[in-house]
């Protein structure tokens, strides 16, 4: 099953996506997501210049060898651009193998360990009443787990809060926009916010919250303690992920469960956090951590340490990634939960897919391969538009983690 063509398709059906499409000599096609939010064209260049020429003529069934070739063979290892490019190839190869064998990818991965994958919704509001309404809407839509984010009194704009009722999309301008951050009002606000959600929605709903890398280890330790009574499902990215030792301090001071990993690209980035049991959930995504092959390696390692999965599933991962994540979710032993931010109707039209949502869970379906197609004609009508993630500053101008 030789690869005879590798096309990189960039489209913007409401937001940018990069897709790798591999074609074999038998006319089969496989898709992989290569979207790196705000850095799309860097991955396109890496694929065009350094990956595509090595794929032509290669046996598409040699998935592990291709992964090793692109990773170890490259000398310059790791990093989001490289690992996203490798991920796209890997996803496309699994898709091809599924189509060639007539099997959905989850069956190639050992088959289902569960009937479907539980997902969590995003609920946000500029203030508490708006947030409480958003949580109600999520529950009415069937979700049993909700990520809650709200505006913070005293801070003009807050991460994770949509501006005008439209779905939240942080990549909002070609040159990065700037937002202002202040930690003390946030630390005062968060326990009040969670108290209000518990008061309105009771004890059973699973609540998650994303700190988005903004605290020092000691601030995070205090916050973890302050919110223990609200029994979070997880507190996400409390500390910048480079500072892995910081998580040891946090761990010693709170039993609030911790989720980390959406910015990690390899197993080596999370080896210490998992091996020392400093986190409860690993959030590496199929697109930014080297594809299905490498995500599974991370999750099997995590299983040894009772760390469960919580795959990143923001809208900047394409439907191809969502499908790939779901095939992994239903087939690994240590699945925790899957993030779901629904794509727009236009994105779904460009990427018709077999996966479905019902009763707070998603299912990858039983179509051969990943179960996602790409409508190239429609994609071509929505060309790339540069869009960057914001940059954060403190009130005095100091740059702060966004
Ligand atoms: O591109 C950045 C987004 O994917 C990120 O801000 C979303 O933190 C995020 C999440 O938890 O979905
Ligand atoms: Mg996050």
């Amino acid at each position: 099953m030789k690869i005879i063509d590798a096309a990189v398709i960039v489209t913007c059906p409401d937001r940018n996506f990069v897709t790798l499409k591999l074609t074999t000599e038998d006319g089969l096609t496989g898709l992989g997501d290569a979207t790196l939010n705000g850095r799309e064209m860097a991955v396109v260049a890496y694929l065009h210049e350094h990956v595509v020429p090595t794929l032509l003529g290669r046996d598409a069934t040699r998935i592990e060898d291709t992964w090793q070739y692109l990773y170890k063979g490259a000398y310059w290892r790791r990093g989001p651009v490289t690992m996203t490019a490798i991920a796209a190839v890997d996803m496309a190869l699994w898709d091809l193998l599924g189509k060639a064998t007539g099997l959905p990818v989850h069956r190639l991965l050992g088959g289902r360990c569960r009937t479907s994958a539980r997902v969590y919704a995003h609920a946000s509001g500029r203030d508490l009443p708006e947030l409480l309404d958003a949580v109600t809407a999520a529950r009415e839509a069937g979700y049993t787990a909700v990520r809650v984010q709200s505006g913070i009194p005293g801070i003009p704009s807050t991460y994770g809060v949509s501006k005008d009722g439209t779905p939240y999309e942080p990549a909002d301008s070609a040159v990065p926009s700037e937002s202002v951050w202040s930690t003390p009002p946030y630390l005062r606000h968060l326990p009040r916010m969670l108290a209000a959600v518990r008061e309105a929605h009771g004890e059973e709903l699973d609540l998650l919250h994303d700190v988005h890398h903004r605290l020092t280890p000691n601030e995070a330790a205090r916050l973890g303690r302050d919110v223990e009574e609200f029994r979070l499902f997880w507190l996400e990215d409390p500390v910048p992920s480079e500072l892995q030792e910081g998580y040891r301090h946090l761990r010693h001071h709170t039993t609030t469960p911790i989720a980390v990993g959406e910015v990690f690209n390899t197993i080596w980035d999370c080896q210490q956090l998992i091996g020392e049991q400093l986190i409860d959930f690993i959030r590496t995504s199929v697109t930014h951590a080297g594809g299905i092959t490498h995500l599974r390696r991370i999750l099997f390692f995590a299983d040894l340490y009772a760390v469960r999965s919580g795959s990143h599933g923001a809208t900047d991962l394409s439907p191809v990634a969502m499908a790939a994540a779901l095939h992994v979710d239903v087939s690994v032993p240590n699945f925790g939960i899957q993030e779901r931010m629904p794509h727009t109707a236009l994105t779904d039209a460009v990427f018709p897919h077999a996966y479905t949502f019902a009763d707070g869970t998603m299912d990858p379906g039983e179509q051969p391969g990943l179960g996602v197609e790409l409508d190239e004609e429609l994609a071509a009508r929505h060309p790339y538009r540069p869009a960057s993630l914001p940059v954060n500053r403190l009130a005095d101008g100091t740059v702060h983690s966004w």
Side-chain angles (χ1 to χ4, degrees):
M1 201 165 70
K2 274 200 173 53
I3 299 168
I4 57 160
D5 189 47
V8 183
I9 297 149
V10 187
T11 178
C12 185
D14 296 331
R15 73 157 347 280
N16 291 318
F17 295 109
V18 180
T19 309
L20 177 70
K21 179 182 166 190
L22 300 183
T23 306
T24 66
E25 56 191 341
D26 334 287
L28 292 177
T29 57
L31 298 179
D33 180 28
T35 310
L36 183 60
N37 203 5
R39 295 290 183 271
E40 291 85 359
M41 300 317 262
V43 184
V44 171
Y46 192 90
L47 282 168
H48 272 311
E49 300 298 320
H50 308 295
V51 176
V52 166
T54 72
L55 294 178
L56 302 178
R58 185 174 286 272
D59 178 352
T61 62
R62 293 181 61 181
I63 300 178
E64 179 67 39
D65 182 66
T66 301
W67 196 95
Q68 298 292 337
Y69 179 88
L70 293 173
Y71 181 83
K72 279 189 196 156
Y75 188 69
W76 306 109
R77 297 180 186 180
R78 303 163 72 166
V81 173
T82 304
M83 297 310 293
T84 300
I86 296 176
V89 176
D90 187 76
M91 272 180 252
L93 294 181
W94 282 104
D95 193 23
L96 281 169
L97 189 61
K99 287 176 177 166
T101 56
L103 295 172
V105 167
H106 64 78
R107 289 191 55 196
L108 301 175
L109 303 179
R112 286 179 187 266
C113 289
R114 59 195 53 78
T115 50
S116 58
R118 187 183 185 215
V119 294
Y120 68 88
H122 283 208
S124 72
R126 283 165 296 185
D127 53 24
L128 291 183
E130 230 180 68
L131 169 62
L132 297 180
D133 287 349
V135 176
T136 302
R139 294 181 73 182
E140 286 170 0
Y143 292 96
T144 56
V146 182
R147 185 187 94 151
V148 287
Q149 312 286 141
S150 85
I152 301 161
I155 304 182
S157 69
T158 308
Y159 164 77
V161 177
S162 59
K163 289 181 189 102
D164 41 18
T166 54
Y168 176 66
E169 173 52 73
D172 57 5
S173 92
V175 173
S177 62
E178 296 204 356
S179 38
V180 179
W181 176 251
S182 177
T183 298
Y186 169 72
L187 291 178
R188 287 194 295 274
H189 172 74
L190 198 68
R192 291 181 200 144
M193 184 193 90
L194 292 174
V197 178
R198 280 280 176 240
E199 169 79 20
H201 289 280
E203 296 298 318
E204 278 184 26
L205 184 66
D206 276 324
L207 297 179
L208 304 83
H209 176 74
D210 192 347
V211 184
H212 223 253
H213 326 273
R214 292 174 182 209
L215 303 179
T216 65
N218 204 37
E219 288 164 348
R222 255 178 59 210
L223 181 68
R225 274 190 179 178
D226 287 351
V227 302
E228 257 169 29
E229 62 179 302
F230 305 114
R231 293 280 188 271
L232 283 180
F233 186 88
W234 79 38
L235 188 69
E236 178 177 330
D237 290 332
V239 175
S241 302
E242 302 96 310
L243 187 50
Q244 310 224 338
E245 298 84 346
Y247 282 86
R248 201 177 299 121
H249 177 75
L250 175 58
R251 197 60 157 175
H252 287 160
H253 287 88
T254 180
T255 56
T256 293
I258 305 297
V260 176
E262 67 185 46
V263 297
F264 291 157
N265 312 121
T266 69
I267 195 167
W268 295 280
D269 299 337
C270 43
Q271 187 176 4
Q272 181 184 6
L273 290 181
I274 293 172
E276 294 187 25
Q277 299 175 56
L278 303 180
I279 57 174
D280 300 273
F281 296 90
I282 180 71
R283 273 180 52 69
T284 36
S285 78
V286 71
T287 300
H288 302 139
I292 291 173
T293 297
H294 197 65
L295 179 60
R296 290 212 321 151
R297 194 160 287 141
I298 294 172
L299 296 182
F300 290 154
F301 174 60
D303 191 35
L304 302 180
Y305 298 95
V307 174
R308 291 189 286 153
S309 71
S311 265
H312 190 202
T315 36
D316 46 278
L317 297 144
S318 89
V320 179
M322 178 51 90
L326 290 169
H327 284 281
V328 172
D329 290 340
V330 298
S331 62
V332 290
N334 53 331
F335 171 72
I337 200 163
Q338 169 68 50
E339 178 177 18
R340 178 184 191 228
M341 270 176 94
H343 290 108
T344 67
L346 180 58
T347 297
D348 284 340
V350 167
F351 295 95
H353 51 75
Y355 63 75
T356 50
F357 168 80
D359 301 326
T361 71
M362 288 181 79
D363 191 273
E366 293 295 327
Q367 267 186 22
L370 293 174
V372 185
E373 295 304 326
L374 173 61
D375 181 336
E376 288 183 57
E377 218 177 280
L378 186 56
R381 281 193 258 145
H382 300 279
Y384 170 71
R385 287 198 307 254
S388 298
L389 292 169
V391 169
N392 224 1
R393 289 186 190 275
L394 302 180
D396 70 356
T398 308
V399 175
H400 192 78
S401 298
W402 177 77

